[in-house]
Amino acid sequence: TGYWRHRAFKEQVAAFTRELHGYYSPLFYKRQPMTKEHLANFPTFTFVEEPPARWKRRVATSVIGILALAGVFAFVASTRLSSRTLAA
């Protein structure tokens, strides 16, 4: 779990809520009673996972960014350390 998975879940729940309202609103406003036929067509929620390629790309981009930043810090540290002499 994480931010992106939670965000996808919230978006899918919001879409399902709209679908549910779209299903019930006409029945409610027409004051139609619920029947077995309505239950057979009842909308269901199924969470759709994010494709693996998408989250792998996101993780790879983050790791590359962290490694690049670590490389910059290592370079700066090595240039500053090499110009100083250590006490004997």
Side-chain angles (χ1 to χ4, degrees):
T1 63
Y3 169 78
W4 293 103
R5 190 166 189 252
H6 183 250
R7 180 178 165 185
F9 177 77
K10 286 175 47 175
E11 289 172 355
Q12 290 180 34
V13 167
F16 176 69
T17 301
R18 288 189 297 274
E19 180 183 359
L20 204 57
H21 283 277
Y23 180 78
Y24 277 115
S25 291
L27 298 174
F28 177 75
Y29 290 117
K30 293 177 184 175
R31 296 182 181 261
Q32 292 180 341
M34 289 292 288
T35 63
K36 289 182 182 181
E37 289 78 28
H38 290 119
L39 292 178
N41 298 326
F42 189 81
T44 58
F45 177 78
T46 304
F47 179 64
V48 179
E49 291 285 351
E50 182 179 30
R54 186 178 300 162
W55 67 262
K56 286 178 183 178
R57 184 174 43 247
R58 191 171 53 249
V59 169
T61 303
S62 299
V63 169
I64 289 169
I66 290 169
L67 291 176
L69 189 59
V72 168
F73 285 139
F75 175 75
V76 170
S78 69
T79 59
R80 290 184 182 216
L81 287 174
S82 63
S83 64
R84 303 181 194 276
T85 56
L86 297 176

